[in-house]
């Protein structure tokens, strides 16, 4: 997925995925202390790290992107480290594709075989 060269603000820790655009806008204002109407992406993840939402203002309305993994999970920073992080679009793509890459890189365990 390509998002261009917009700044990306990641909400560390978990977010209630029942929140819609208005709820996420409130989080952006209070947690990030930012204006949700800026030209940026705001990224949120749920507790089990298998769902991700991205909020984006495009000038005349909000986009809400949603991804649900069927297997695996996103590598996500905890809120103990920071409340928010800033990424670039390439780092966001790596984060989103990371679960797919992790699954692809997993190998079956090689068990020891006795040679007779």
């Amino acid at each position: 997925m390509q998002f261009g060269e917009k700044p990306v603000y990641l909400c560390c820790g978990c977010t209630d995925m029942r929140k819609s655009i208005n709820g996420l806008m409130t989080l952006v204002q209070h947690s990030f202390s930012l204006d949700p109407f800026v030209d940026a992406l705001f990224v949120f993840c749920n507790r089990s790290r298998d769902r991700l939402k991205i909020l984006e203002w495009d000038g005349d309305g909000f986009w809400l992107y949603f991804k649900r993994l069927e297997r695996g999970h996103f590598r996500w920073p905890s809120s103990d480290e920071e409340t928010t992080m800033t990424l670039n679009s390439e780092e966001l793509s790596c984060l989103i594709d990371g679960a797919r890459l992790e699954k692809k890189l997993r190998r079956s365990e090689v068990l020891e075989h006795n040679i007779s």
Side-chain angles (χ1 to χ4, degrees), residues 38-87:
V38 297
D39 192 25
L41 302 171
F42 301 96
V43 188
F44 308 89
C45 191
N46 68 335
R47 183 177 307 280
S48 54
R49 298 178 301 149
D50 63 350
R51 294 182 179 157
L52 187 117
K53 283 188 177 180
I54 300 173
L55 182 67
E56 177 186 26
W57 172 253
D58 73 356
D60 64 357
F62 280 96
W63 282 96
L64 185 60
Y65 305 97
F66 180 76
K67 178 156 184 154
R68 181 186 75 193
L69 297 176
E70 296 301 319
R71 290 193 181 119
H73 61 272
F74 297 105
R75 292 189 179 270
W76 203 261
S78 69
S79 57
D80 297 337
E81 300 165 21
E82 299 179 53
T83 307
T84 61
M85 290 178 70
T86 306
L87 305 175

Side-chain angles (χ1 to χ4, degrees), residues 68-108:
R68 181 186 75 193
L69 297 176
E70 296 301 319
R71 290 193 181 119
H73 61 272
F74 297 105
R75 292 189 179 270
W76 203 261
S78 69
S79 57
D80 297 337
E81 300 165 21
E82 299 179 53
T83 307
T84 61
M85 290 178 70
T86 306
L87 305 175
N88 61 38
S89 57
E90 186 176 318
E91 291 168 325
L92 176 59
S93 292
C94 288
L95 178 73
I96 292 171
D97 293 336
R100 185 179 309 131
L101 180 62
E102 185 176 303
K103 189 170 74 174
K104 187 176 182 179
L105 292 176
R106 275 192 196 147
R107 298 180 187 152
S108 303

